[in-house]
Amino acid sequence: MLEITIKDIVYPFNFDMGFLREINKTVSTPVDGLPDVKRNIGLRYKVLCVMDGDPEALVDILDAANKIHKPRATRAALDSYIDDPNTDVDALCTEVLDFLKSANATKKTVNLLLEELEKRRTAD
């Protein structure tokens, strides 16, 4: 579990199945050959965005990872944490990705994404 202190309050963030369901709902794509069927791909999309340093995707991931926990970090609190000049957003992205690479619910997807990106980089 990841913990982040925002304005002297420690917030827990867990990348479990509840998180996976929540983040996957944020982006969906049609399934080829199956009319009216969509596949939720939020984790894949948001991880790629965080790898690019996208702070909005980072907040989306943190929001979903804290959704069922107490204390609850509001989006406003997360936004202010990202906006704080003392917050190293790049280090936070790396820390979140490290947790996603090791959590049972997300590690397979995240590590496959990383492998695919590495293959594409070496092919170019």
Side-chain angles (χ1 to χ4, degrees), residues 3-13 66 70-73 77 81:
E3 291 183 337
I4 298 175
T5 303
I6 303 171
K7 296 183 180 178
D8 298 323
I9 300 171
V10 178
Y11 295 98
F13 299 87
N66 175 255
K70 291 185 182 175
R72 176 77 172 111
Y81 183 69

Side-chain angles (χ1 to χ4, degrees), residues 3 7 39 46 57 60 79 82 95 104 118:
E3 291 183 337
K7 296 183 180 178
R39 181 172 181 214
K46 297 295 181 178
D60 290 343
D79 288 350
I82 297 298
E95 188 174 12
N104 280 344
E118 188 58 32

Side-chain angles (χ1 to χ4, degrees), residues 16-123:
D16 56 6
M17 285 300 299
F19 159 78
L20 181 60
R21 285 186 192 100
E22 193 64 33
I23 200 68
N24 268 342
K25 289 190 285 186
T26 63
V27 179
S28 62
T29 186
V31 176
D32 289 338
L34 298 173
D36 300 324
V37 176
K38 292 187 177 193
R39 181 172 181 214
N40 293 332
I41 59 165
L43 177 66
R44 287 177 171 81
Y45 181 79
K46 297 295 181 178
V47 164
L48 292 172
C49 291
V50 168
M51 290 174 71
D52 286 339
D54 181 340
E56 187 176 4
L58 179 60
V59 168
D60 290 343
I61 285 176
L62 291 172
D63 184 53
N66 175 255
K67 193 148 194 135
I68 64 166
H69 295 287
K70 291 185 182 175
R72 176 77 172 111
T74 64
R75 287 188 75 86
L78 294 170
D79 288 350
S80 70
Y81 183 69
I82 297 298
D83 289 338
D84 186 331
N86 295 316
T87 299
D88 185 341
V89 176
D90 292 332
L92 183 58
C93 286
T94 300
E95 188 174 12
V96 167
L97 287 171
D98 286 345
F99 272 91
L100 290 167
K101 287 190 283 187
S102 63
N104 280 344
T106 59
K107 67 183 173 184
K108 184 172 183 175
T109 300
V110 173
N111 287 317
L112 286 172
L113 278 172
L114 293 172
E115 287 173 21
E116 183 62 32
L117 285 174
E118 188 58 32
K119 286 178 190 175
R120 289 182 184 188
R121 285 184 186 145
T122 57

